[in-house]
């Protein structure tokens, strides 16, 4: 099966993609580790093709391809048997209430480890429809750690892997899902049969490999610092892995230009405005030491190349205006969600400076900045893998950068702040939906449906600027935040408002509106 798939994929990748951009330097370490220990590959997950890409790349570099933990939605004829033959095995979305299934699955992982097979697990639990890295789901990681301890293996190494694309083949599917359409397991087969698929060019595929992480060393260090070594949490391991994937993310011209286009809520921007935006973002990436695609050095006018690529995909419209002797680049409202995916691929690089810039537009007081910086990080903790480090150091570093590089230029601050404008608008919609719930009890589904209707109304009334703010996934994160804040009390599947919820929601709305006022009409 592997040999047959290898032949088919070689032809398919040649027709669909311009090639692979692989971090070859990291393979030496992986090869050395693979000679002596078992490896658990932990890749990012943005496309169904991820399952095929990593195994294909490893096979062509003479490293044994892994057995892959796959979702049960892929176990359908004819692809299910093919995936099984190539090393895939399937798991249910949830094991809740089924102890026998959990035991069998755990035993299967143990057998794979005992027999010496490498394993691939997607720690996000599913594909990211937004382009952002999802928060880690630790079930399979927990089973692997327990199996490692029970088997008494010498060691087990986790290898974080970043897989990125100029364009994902499921873009249309993701847009439909974000607008409320439910995922269906047979969509992958329908996609692969589509004639549209083979007519498209999807750019390049990018792979970066992180430093192999020794599980034995992690457990030893965790036991030394834990109050109870028998009750170790796997949360830190999960966040370490996804944080490393974020670090490995490759910044591409397409992602950078998407950031420049969407940092404003206006439907169009002049060439000069776009230039100032992408220059500011590019400067920060260099300052941050982010990994950059080879395209930046290989193509002189990389920004023009990316812009024309988006024009060819009908995501932007470009027109020359003789009155100002400049081009005007416009983004149709319905295309903003498509560009949002590529903006989100690298948004984590800009998360801290975006929050700092937003707050800096309102106040110069460091004490106030620090309080509100922490407040924003707490609010968005279900949307992003937050940057590590001490809050005070992060704040000071951001302020110093804006002061030294841009003299705290207001336009630069607004460009950075605008990168999180849609998330602020999503939370404002969610708060408005909460404050106007007609019944004392609600389900999460009812709340999300109400938030969608409230968002549509607010967009029509121009109370919000960005159509991408009407995101069901953003509303889900806001719902989790409200629950953790104690505004919603859970009673089985029903949620009731706490007495203080509406008053607190109103206060949060006032604060978010004041933040958004700094970047409205920009």
């Amino acid at each position: 099966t592997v040999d047959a798939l290898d032949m088919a994929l070689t032809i398919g990748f040649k027709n669909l993609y311009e090639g692979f951009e692989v971090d070859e330097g990291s393979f030496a370490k992986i090869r050395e580790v693979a000679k002596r220990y078992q490896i658990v590959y932990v890749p990012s997950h943005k496309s169904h093709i991820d399952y095929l890409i990593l195994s294909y790349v490893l096979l062509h570099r003479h490293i044994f391809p892994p057995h892959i933990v796959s979702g049960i939605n892929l176990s359908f004829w004819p692809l299910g048997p093919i995936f099984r033959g190539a090393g895939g095995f399937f798991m249910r979305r949830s094991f809740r209430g089924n102890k026998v299934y959990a035991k069998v699955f755990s035993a299967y992982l143990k057998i794979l480890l005992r027999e010496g097979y490498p394993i691939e697990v997607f720690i996000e639990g599913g594909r990211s429809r937004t382009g952002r890295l999802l928060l880690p789901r630790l079930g399979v990681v927990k089973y692997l750690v327990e199996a490692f301890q029970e088997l008494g293996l010498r060691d087990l190494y986790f290898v974080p892997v970043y897989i990125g694309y100029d364009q994902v083949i499921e873009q249309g599917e993701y847009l439909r899902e974000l607008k409320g359409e439910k995922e269906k397991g047979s969509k992958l087969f329908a996609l692969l049969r589509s004639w549209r698929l083979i007519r498209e060019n999807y750019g390049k595929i990018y792979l970066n490999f992180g430093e192999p992480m020794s599980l034995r060393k992690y457990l030893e260090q965790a036991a030394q610092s834990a109050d109870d070594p028998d009750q170790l949490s796997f949360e830190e391991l999960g966040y370490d892995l996804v944080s490393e994937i974020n670090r490995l993310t490759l910044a591409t011209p397409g992602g950078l230009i998407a950031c420049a286009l969407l940092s404003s809520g206006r439907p169009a921007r002049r060439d000069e405005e776009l230039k100032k935006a992408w220059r500011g973002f590019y400067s920060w990436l260099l300052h941050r030491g982010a990994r950059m695609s080879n395209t930046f050095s290989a193509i002189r006018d990389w920004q023009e190349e990316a812009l024309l690529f988006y024009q060819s995909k009908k995501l932007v419209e470009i027109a020359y205006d003789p009155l100002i002797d400049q081009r005007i680049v416009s983004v149709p409202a319905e295309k903003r969600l498509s560009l949002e995916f590529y903006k989100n691929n690298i948004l984590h690089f800009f998360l801290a400076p975006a929050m700092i810039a937003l707050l800096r537009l309102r106040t110069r007081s460091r004490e106030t900045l620090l309080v509100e910086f922490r407040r924003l990080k707490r609010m968005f903790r279900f949307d992003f893998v937050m940057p590590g480090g001490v809050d005070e150091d992060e704040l000071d570093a951001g302020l110093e950068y804006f002061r030294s590089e841009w003299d705290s230029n207001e336009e630069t601050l607004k460009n950075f702040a605008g990168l999180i404008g849609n998330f602020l608008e999503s939370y404002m919609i969610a708060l408005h939906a909460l404050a106007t719930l007609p019944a004392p009890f609600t389900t999460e589904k009812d709340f999300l449906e109400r938030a969608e209707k409230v968002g549509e109304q607010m967009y029509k009334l121009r109370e919000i600027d960005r159509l991408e703010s009407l995101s069901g996934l953003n509303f889900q994160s806001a719902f989790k935040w409200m629950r953790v804040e104690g505004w919603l009390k859970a009673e089985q599947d029903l949620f009731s408002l706490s007495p203080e919820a509406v008053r607190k929601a109103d206060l949060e709305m006032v604060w978010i509106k004041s933040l958004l006022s700094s970047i409205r009409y920009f």
Side-chain angles (χ1 to χ4, degrees):
T1 304
V2 169
D3 289 341
L5 267 179
D6 180 35
M7 294 172 61
L9 291 176
T10 298
I11 297 170
F13 288 151
K14 185 176 180 180
N15 289 330
L16 293 175
Y17 296 98
E18 295 174 8
F20 292 84
E21 195 170 303
V22 181
D23 176 17
E24 301 288 357
S26 57
F27 262 97
K29 291 182 181 178
I30 294 172
R31 197 181 302 278
E32 286 304 311
V33 170
K35 288 177 182 177
R36 294 178 293 167
Y37 304 105
Q38 286 163 268
I39 290 180
V40 176
Y41 297 95
V42 187
S44 56
H45 197 15
K46 294 183 175 67
S47 171
H48 278 307
I49 307 299
D50 296 336
Y51 295 103
L52 307 171
I53 295 256
L54 182 58
S55 292
Y56 182 84
V57 167
L58 292 174
L59 185 69
H60 279 253
R61 283 152 183 81
H62 311 293
I63 295 179
F64 198 87
H67 284 252
I68 307 167
V69 184
S70 311
I72 195 72
N73 58 305
L74 295 178
S75 182
F76 61 89
W77 191 90
L79 292 183
I82 295 173
F83 287 157
R84 279 192 187 277
F89 60 100
F90 304 103
M91 62 176 286
R92 295 179 185 175
R93 294 288 188 183
S94 173
F95 297 177
R96 184 182 301 174
N98 196 332
K99 294 181 180 179
V100 174
Y101 188 89
K103 286 287 187 183
V104 171
F105 185 82
S106 175
Y108 188 74
L109 287 177
K110 194 183 300 182
I111 290 170
L112 290 178
L113 289 180
R114 189 185 67 196
E115 297 299 319
Y117 290 108
I119 296 173
E120 179 180 343
V121 55
F122 294 93
I123 198 169
E124 298 169 84
R127 290 171 296 155
S128 170
R129 272 70 171 169
T130 65
R132 307 192 308 271
L133 196 64
L134 304 178
L135 299 184
R137 300 183 67 174
L138 304 173
V140 177
V141 173
K142 179 184 175 183
Y143 288 135
L144 286 169
V145 174
E146 290 174 347
F148 167 78
Q149 292 173 319
E150 291 176 21
L151 291 170
L153 300 176
R154 287 188 302 156
D155 210 340
L156 181 65
Y157 278 80
F158 287 85
V159 175
V161 185
Y162 163 75
I163 304 176
Y165 305 86
D166 281 332
Q167 184 180 4
V168 293
I169 63 173
E170 298 101 327
Q171 182 171 311
E173 175 195 335
Y174 290 169
L175 289 177
R176 290 189 292 272
E177 287 183 27
L178 289 171
K179 292 175 182 176
E181 184 178 319
K182 299 298 182 184
E183 180 189 9
K184 297 176 183 176
S186 60
K187 278 188 178 176
L188 173 61
F189 191 46
L191 180 70
L192 294 176
R193 288 185 304 171
S194 170
W195 283 104
R196 178 189 61 79
L197 176 69
I198 63 173
R199 293 199 307 268
E200 292 280 342
N201 179 280
Y202 293 90
K204 285 187 176 181
I205 300 171
Y206 306 91
L207 278 89
N208 280 336
F209 294 82
E211 190 74 24
M213 300 170 63
S214 164
L215 180 57
R216 181 167 295 281
K217 288 182 180 178
Y218 165 80
L219 293 175
E220 289 173 354
Q221 292 170 359
Q224 289 173 5
S225 58
D227 295 330
D228 184 358
D230 294 327
Q231 297 295 323
L232 292 179
S233 170
F234 306 106
E235 189 169 337
E236 186 176 344
L237 175 61
Y239 274 88
D240 284 347
L241 289 168
V242 293
S243 295
E244 177 66 3
I245 294 173
N246 263 344
R247 188 190 68 81
L248 295 168
T249 299
L250 202 68
T252 65
L256 202 61
I257 295 303
C259 286
L261 289 165
L262 297 184
S263 60
S264 169
R266 290 186 288 123
R269 303 195 83 175
R270 300 180 184 89
D271 250 345
E272 188 60 33
E273 293 172 323
L274 272 180
K275 187 176 181 180
K276 288 179 180 177
W278 68 252
R279 272 186 169 179
F281 300 146
Y282 184 67
S283 174
W284 171 259
L285 290 175
L286 293 177
H287 175 78
R288 164 82 183 262
R291 295 185 174 217
M292 311 284 277
S293 164
N294 290 335
T295 313
F296 286 104
S297 56
I299 300 177
R300 183 176 178 182
D301 296 324
W302 52 262
Q303 67 281 358
E304 187 70 14
E305 184 96 355
L307 206 53
L308 292 177
F309 176 79
Y310 285 141
Q311 184 186 36
S312 71
K313 299 297 181 183
K314 296 182 170 43
L315 299 180
V316 302
E317 297 169 358
I318 304 175
Y320 175 74
D321 187 342
L323 292 176
I324 58 174
D325 191 27
Q326 285 188 55
R327 294 182 307 177
I328 294 178
V329 182
S330 57
V331 182
E334 69 275 9
K335 301 298 184 182
R336 289 183 69 94
L337 202 55
S338 297
L339 285 173
E340 178 75 8
F341 185 93
Y342 302 103
K343 166 196 148 188
N344 283 345
N345 280 336
I346 59 172
L347 181 57
H348 59 279
F349 288 128
F350 304 108
L351 189 56
M355 290 191 284
I356 293 166
L358 179 70
L359 300 171
R360 179 63 183 77
L361 288 166
R362 294 180 65 247
T363 181
R364 289 178 177 270
S365 166
R366 184 182 180 282
E367 185 179 343
T368 303
L369 285 168
L370 182 59
V371 170
E372 296 201 341
F373 181 53
R374 287 171 171 163
R375 188 175 177 182
L376 277 175
K377 287 182 74 173
R378 179 175 175 83
M379 186 170 75
F380 288 143
R381 68 191 184 279
F382 297 113
D383 293 280
F384 304 99
V385 179
M386 285 295 168
V390 180
D391 292 340
E392 290 91 337
D393 295 342
E394 231 176 351
L395 177 64
D396 290 338
L399 291 173
E400 178 58 30
Y401 171 78
F402 287 122
R403 187 163 47 245
S404 63
E405 294 288 324
W406 304 98
D407 196 23
S408 296
N409 178 274
E410 185 173 302
E411 185 176 355
T412 299
L413 292 175
K414 286 185 176 182
N415 275 319
F416 274 83
L419 292 174
I420 57 171
N422 60 305
F423 292 94
L424 287 166
E425 289 185 349
S426 294
Y427 274 65
M428 188 167 70
I429 294 167
L431 287 164
H432 197 282
L434 176 76
T436 57
L437 280 173
F441 292 91
T442 187
T443 63
E444 182 175 358
K445 180 182 176 183
D446 289 340
F447 170 82
L448 295 176
E449 289 176 353
R450 181 168 185 79
E452 185 178 344
K453 291 177 182 177
V454 168
E456 290 172 355
Q457 183 186 65
M458 293 177 73
Y459 183 73
K460 288 176 183 177
L461 295 171
R462 286 299 179 263
E463 294 174 359
I464 59 172
D465 296 330
R466 297 162 168 84
L467 188 61
E468 64 268 28
S469 303
L470 277 63
S471 165
L473 295 176
N474 289 2
F475 298 151
Q476 286 178 3
S477 297
F479 189 80
K480 290 178 186 176
W481 168 64
M482 293 171 183
R483 285 188 61 187
V484 171
E485 292 296 319
W487 302 353
L488 294 165
K489 304 295 183 182
E491 299 176 20
Q492 294 183 340
D493 291 332
L494 292 175
F495 299 91
S496 61
L497 296 178
S498 66
E500 294 291 305
V502 175
R503 185 182 70 83
K504 288 182 177 179
D506 285 337
L507 290 174
E508 291 291 330
M509 270 195 289
V510 170
W511 180 58
I512 291 176
K513 281 181 180 179
S514 71
L515 294 175
L516 284 170
S517 66
S518 303
I519 55 174
R520 286 215 76 183
Y521 313 115
F522 168 68

